[in-house]
Amino acid sequence: MSIESKNLSDERLGAFLKTHAPTPPPAPATEYARLCKKIETCSAKSWQVRLRRWGLVLSSVLAILTLVAVGIYQYRSYVIETVTVETIAELPSSLLLLNSDLTEEEFRSPVEDWNIFAEAVTVQSM
Amino acid sequence: MIHSIDQKITQFTDGECCGFRELYEKFSGPVRGLLYRIFPQCSLDDAVQEVFVKIWKGLPRFEGRSSLKVWIFQIAHRVAIDALRQGKNKKVESILEEIEVPSEEHRMIHQNWVRHLLGEFSLEHRSVLVLFFMEELSLEEIAAIQEVPVGTVKSRLHYAKQKMRESLEREGVL
């Protein structure tokens, strides 16, 4: 950089640039009206976006609730159809006796033989 | 929303502006000038519109951490950078080629010539020169607009001033 360059003060440079600052062409008179229209469109769009977003959230919640309901129903069916049988297996033989046509003597000893138990359950379900 | 925007405008302009229209009338000129000087793009009207749409959207969240003018200039700066990045407008270089360099006897008073000179600078250096000398903003305000540390602004300004001095001397202006 030359000595002259260094001597050229910031003030002179600033004054030159300020004086010769490029001036933009004037804005059309209808610019504000155009802006209002644009903002209106944007606001409408933002409402549409919000509605779409809420719709998405609601449908997601509904889908989750439906899945939970189906799950509960399935689990209930599973409990009724499967777990109950297993629970019966753990019941004291005296209770099975009440629900079966087997004689008391046949139930005097604990249920050890699965075939006897299965027979009891089959009889009960019939 | 309109009520909240009007409240913000009144609050942050110390009652100078009471509504969006007044804010537009006060700042559309400076925004237009800034965009024109920093980013010589063809769609100046559209860029100004985009800035004010963003101001409209952003005003409810504006907390007054910087002055309203700095915040508005920051939005204008971002809009212009985005526009240049997306290549919506013509490239700066190609536009600058279209700007006629004034004849020898008139060039010192011709603003297009300064614009042409500014076009030789990178975006950051052009921006810092315009904001510092033409908009007369402080280094801190420029740092906020450019979203860089003050030290970076100082270094950019130093380089830009040096290059501008050289250009002006080369052309025999000063």
Side-chain angles (χ1 to χ4, degrees):
Chain A
M1 191 170 67
S2 67
I3 296 167
E4 288 84 356
S5 291
K6 283 177 186 169
N7 291 339
L8 186 61
S9 67
D10 281 4
E11 285 76 22
R12 281 179 69 197
L13 181 65
F16 177 83
L17 290 176
K18 181 87 183 159
T19 315
H20 296 90
T23 314
T30 53
E31 275 304 87
Y32 187 73
R34 195 162 77 96
L35 176 66
C36 289
K37 209 170 253 182
K38 210 167 191 177
I39 285 172
E40 263 176 41
T41 315
C42 285
S43 301
K45 268 185 193 166
S46 74
W47 272 107
Q48 280 175 358
V49 169
R50 270 184 219 171
L51 275 174
R52 210 174 296 154
R53 201 177 295 158
W54 276 107
L56 203 69
V57 169
L58 275 175
S59 57
S60 303
V61 168
L62 276 174
I64 290 167
L65 284 176
T66 311
L67 278 173
V68 168
V70 168
I72 289 171
Y73 177 78
Q74 295 276 11
Y75 180 72
R76 205 165 154 264
S77 305
Y78 167 78
V79 167
I80 291 168
E81 287 171 12
T82 316
V83 180
T84 311
V85 176
E86 288 170 9
T87 311
I88 288 169
E90 290 167 5
L91 290 174
S93 54
S94 55
L95 279 176
L96 286 174
L97 175 65
L98 290 173
N99 289 297
S100 69
D101 292 337
L102 297 175
T103 60
E104 194 181 338
E105 284 169 357
E106 285 172 307
F107 276 97
R108 214 165 269 169
S109 58
V111 181
E112 287 172 355
D113 188 346
W114 180 249
N115 289 328
I116 294 174
F117 170 71
E119 193 184 336
V121 173
T122 313
V123 168
Q124 186 194 13
S125 62
M126 282 170 72
Chain B
M1 187 175 172
I2 292 169
H3 187 59
S4 133
I5 284 176
D6 286 350
Q7 272 181 342
K8 289 257 177 176
I9 291 169
T10 313
Q11 182 189 344
F12 291 111
T13 58
D14 295 326
E16 201 182 325
C17 302
C18 302
F20 192 69
R21 189 183 185 119
E22 286 177 338
L23 185 85
Y24 176 81
E25 280 164 7
K26 185 177 162 68
F27 286 105
S28 63
V31 166
R32 200 173 171 79
L34 178 73
L35 290 171
Y36 183 74
R37 287 162 196 154
I38 299 180
F39 308 100
Q41 54 194 16
C42 291
S43 52
L44 183 62
D45 293 339
D46 288 342
V48 174
Q49 295 264 318
E50 202 176 330
V51 169
F52 277 91
V53 169
K54 281 188 189 290
I55 290 170
W56 169 271
K57 284 181 182 171
L59 260 173
R61 292 188 304 276
F62 178 63
E63 291 169 351
R65 283 182 201 156
S66 60
S67 73
L68 196 62
K69 185 184 177 183
V70 167
W71 181 68
I72 289 172
F73 274 19
Q74 193 181 44
I75 291 174
H77 201 262
R78 277 189 209 148
V79 163
I81 288 174
D82 289 348
L84 286 173
R85 278 188 190 149
Q86 288 166 11
K88 270 187 197 168
N89 305 291
K90 286 186 188 178
K91 283 190 173 175
V92 176
E93 291 74 17
S94 64
I95 293 163
L96 289 170
E97 281 165 13
E98 291 167 14
I99 298 169
E100 187 190 342
V101 180
S103 59
E104 189 70 22
E105 60 268 29
H106 291 115
R107 68 181 183 185
M108 282 174 65
I109 56 165
H110 207 296
Q111 292 169 345
N112 267 358
W113 183 72
V114 172
R115 197 170 173 227
H116 182 83
L117 263 187
L118 284 171
E120 291 175 359
F121 290 74
S122 69
L123 184 72
E124 293 81 13
H125 294 119
R126 187 165 60 235
S127 167
V128 85
L129 269 183
V130 168
L131 291 169
F132 189 76
F133 287 117
M134 297 178 188
E135 304 296 340
E136 296 177 326
L137 296 177
S138 69
L139 294 174
E140 287 75 18
E141 287 173 324
I142 298 170
I145 291 168
Q146 292 194 338
E147 296 173 273
V148 291
V150 177
T152 310
V153 175
K154 279 182 188 169
S155 131
R156 282 177 183 174
L157 185 62
H158 176 76
Y159 176 83
K161 279 196 291 193
Q162 189 179 319
K163 198 179 169 196
M164 181 54 91
R165 278 191 193 110
E166 284 171 5
S167 300
L168 292 176
E169 282 187 358
R170 194 179 60 235
E171 301 292 335
V173 176
L174 289 173

